[in-house]
Amino acid sequence: MKPLADDRAAKVEIREAMRLLLRTPLLTARRDPEGFSLVRRYADELKSEFHQFLGYRLVVEGRFARLHKPGLGPDCGRRLTRATTGTVFSPRTYTYLVLALAATVTAPEQMLLSELVAEIRLAAADAAIDLGDPDGAQKRHLTAALRTLIEWDVLTETEGSVDALLADDEREALLTIDTDLARRIVSGPLGASRTPEEFLRAAERPDRDSPRLAVRRRIVETPVVYLDDLDETERAWLRRNQRREQLNFHEILGADLEIRAEGVALVRDQDDFSDIDFPGTGTVAQAALLLVERLLETERPEQAGHPATGGTLVIGVAVPTERLDAILTDLAAEYASAWAKSYVTDVSTLRADVCRLLCDMRLMAPVAPTRAERAARERDTAAEHPNRQVTDVSNARGQLATPPPRPEAGHWVLLAAAARYRPTTSGRTDRPRRHTTPSPKGGAR
């Protein structure tokens, strides 16, 4: 029999490993040797805990661990971003990412960059996808996709760099490919889907047959779970079991389940569930926090209800887009010397990125424009740009994530959790101890 002290130490390490995998569902020995060693040490226990508590499937192999997570429902994902600029992936970038994965799962151990590009274009042709001419924009999309595979350790730059694609000359690079890891990236039911649309619907579909698993998954994957995010069966289950779940989350994940009138949130003293630091550094994070604090000087989101995305009634208060712009314009002028110049001179872009971050943190939600508002905006656009050619790429086969919040919507909703950031009389904010994101780095679930 193991000594009691050893059992306690093992339990602490298993909790740490579970939080690590929730934050980084694709963990490689190359990127995090210490964390991967911890996961391998308790692989059997972790597989059992994830399966029983969340219904997740964990695969642990010699070089990597992959936690496969079912979807949480429409509009619950977070898009991938380019590592160098932070720009969110467009449908075209996702298209190249999927095609690159298709090319790598059957690739040899090493390939020249030019050979991989040729295989990607062949995969596009097989899927009846017209990539167009390989101009500068297309090369940037492709490079961003390959950079993501490098970040995931599917590709390794053995000699040269994939940035050679952006050069005018014919530079070459030698890439090493981990085909085993490439096959584990996609979690969705590929074999059960006959079309891309079927695959996307199946990949995002939540497990409605088990309110227990559906609610727990939302709690660990989202910063705040509002009661209005849940259907009637899930709300009833949470009301009956919320005190028991407090004990379960503390025992299994070492985290506290905070229960409020509007919903629940998982909190910890250390932010080790999330790959987003909020409050954090950088122009967008700083502007987002200051924007919330300025709004809270007059708004009380816990006192009113308002229809938000999808027609769901959420606890919050409406904020016109014009007010966001006015506050951000003042902040940009005040912090012009400290913030990125590109944001200081373009408040609309700053607002779009700030709102995206606040939506990811469940502190704000966009209000979808009505049909009449959309029609009016389309008429205004047509009048201003009569010769404009509009290309719809929303149904491109590479689009694997929901679009970002639309800043042109008439107004936004400041949600109840934002009240936690209200400055106190001492000048400090009552900030939550833990901030999570729907999907680590927005990556494949």
Side-chain angles (χ1 to χ4, degrees):
M1 178 180 291
K2 291 183 178 180
L4 184 58
D6 289 349
D7 290 344
R8 288 175 179 170
K11 183 175 292 187
V12 170
E13 290 185 329
I14 290 172
R15 289 171 177 170
E16 180 183 346
M18 290 188 73
R19 294 193 298 269
L20 173 62
L21 286 166
L22 287 171
R23 182 175 71 249
T24 313
L26 177 60
L27 186 69
T28 66
R30 182 171 175 267
R31 295 281 173 176
D32 188 352
E34 184 177 344
F36 179 71
S37 177
L38 179 65
V39 168
R40 284 203 68 182
R41 189 183 316 147
Y42 296 104
D44 292 339
E45 292 88 344
L46 291 169
K47 290 177 183 179
S48 177
E49 289 281 20
F50 275 118
H51 175 72
Q52 294 180 23
F53 191 62
L54 294 168
Y56 288 172
R57 180 168 61 93
L58 175 63
V59 175
V60 181
E61 298 193 2
R63 300 183 302 276
F64 63 88
R66 179 72 168 100
L67 182 63
H68 292 277
K69 307 177 184 181
L72 297 177
D75 302 324
C76 288
R78 179 160 62 86
R79 296 206 293 180
L80 292 168
T81 59
R82 299 190 186 189
T84 54
T85 64
T87 305
V88 294
F89 271 28
S90 68
R92 179 63 62 173
T93 319
Y94 275 108
T95 300
Y96 274 113
L97 178 60
V98 173
L99 293 172
L101 274 174
T104 55
V105 293
T106 57
E109 183 179 355
Q110 290 188 324
M111 292 183 74
L112 292 174
L113 177 60
S114 58
E115 295 173 337
L116 179 58
V117 171
E119 289 296 321
I120 289 172
R121 298 194 73 84
L122 283 176
D126 289 343
I129 297 175
D130 182 9
L131 293 178
D133 296 329
D135 56 15
Q138 299 288 3
K139 291 178 180 179
R140 286 191 292 272
H141 288 299
L142 176 55
T143 302
L146 296 180
R147 279 268 158 237
T148 298
L149 294 184
I150 291 170
E151 182 182 348
W152 292 345
D153 282 341
V154 173
L155 297 179
T156 302
E157 294 169 309
T158 304
E159 293 182 18
S161 168
V162 297
D163 292 338
L165 288 171
L166 303 176
D168 293 332
D169 52 26
E170 296 183 358
R171 298 179 189 177
E172 192 58 274
L174 178 64
L175 304 174
T176 300
I177 303 172
D178 190 331
T179 55
D180 292 334
L181 183 52
R183 295 188 184 105
R184 293 292 185 182
I185 293 295
V186 178
S187 285
L190 283 171
S193 304
R194 292 170 296 179
T195 67
E197 292 74 22
E198 283 185 6
F199 171 74
L200 294 179
R201 286 195 296 269
E204 72 179 7
R205 186 181 301 125
D207 186 354
R208 295 298 187 188
D209 296 331
S210 173
R212 172 178 60 88
L213 293 180
V215 173
R216 285 177 177 174
R217 288 169 181 171
R218 277 190 175 269
I219 290 172
V220 299
E221 299 293 343
T222 56
V224 181
V225 179
Y226 295 99
L227 294 181
D228 296 305
D229 295 332
L230 309 176
D231 64 23
E232 185 176 350
T233 302
E234 293 165 349
R235 286 196 297 270
W237 181 88
L238 182 58
R239 281 195 296 268
R240 290 194 308 268
N241 296 279
Q242 58 187 9
R243 298 300 176 186
R244 183 184 303 168
E245 288 302 291
Q246 276 187 317
L247 298 176
N248 287 336
F249 277 100
H250 182 77
E251 176 69 16
I252 295 173
L253 291 175
D256 297 322
L257 183 64
E258 184 175 292
I259 301 172
R260 299 235 173 179
E262 66 272 7
V264 297
L266 205 60
V267 296
R268 265 181 57 80
D269 291 329
Q270 298 82 27
D271 293 338
D272 57 355
F273 276 93
S274 173
D275 66 328
I276 288 184
D277 292 327
F278 187 81
T281 59
T283 299
V284 173
Q286 293 173 8
L289 179 60
L290 291 169
L291 173 65
V292 169
E293 290 181 348
R294 294 282 178 93
L295 290 172
L296 290 172
E297 291 175 358
T298 56
E299 307 295 346
R300 296 293 182 267
E302 70 272 24
Q303 294 179 349
H306 197 285
T309 308
T312 303
L313 185 66
V314 298
I315 298 174
V317 60
V319 179
T321 299
E322 292 77 10
R323 182 155 184 235
L324 300 183
D325 285 345
I327 294 175
L328 289 172
T329 298
D330 290 343
L331 291 172
E334 184 177 350
Y335 293 90
S337 61
W339 287 1
K341 184 177 180 180
S342 58
Y343 283 122
V344 172
T345 58
D346 187 355
V347 173
S348 62
T349 298
L350 176 61
R351 182 236 299 153
D353 290 348
V354 163
C355 287
R356 183 179 294 111
L357 173 59
L358 293 176
C359 288
D360 285 343
M361 298 304 302
R362 296 295 284 141
L363 304 179
M364 185 177 283
V367 174
T370 65
R371 182 178 300 176
E373 289 172 336
R374 287 196 300 268
R377 192 162 54 244
E378 290 170 0
R379 288 195 299 270
D380 292 342
T381 301
E384 293 175 7
H385 307 282
N387 299 319
R388 182 179 179 183
Q389 296 289 327
V390 179
T391 302
D392 181 11
V393 295
S394 60
N395 61 350
R397 295 190 178 190
Q399 185 174 4
L400 297 183
T402 56
R406 287 178 292 187
E408 67 270 18
H411 52 272
W412 302 77
V413 173
L414 186 67
L415 298 175
R420 295 291 298 272
Y421 293 83
R422 181 179 296 120
T424 64
T425 55
S426 63
R428 299 173 62 86
T429 55
D430 179 24
R431 296 167 184 167
R433 292 170 289 165
R434 175 258 187 181
H435 319 282
T436 61
T437 53
S439 175
K441 293 190 179 297
R445 285 188 169 276

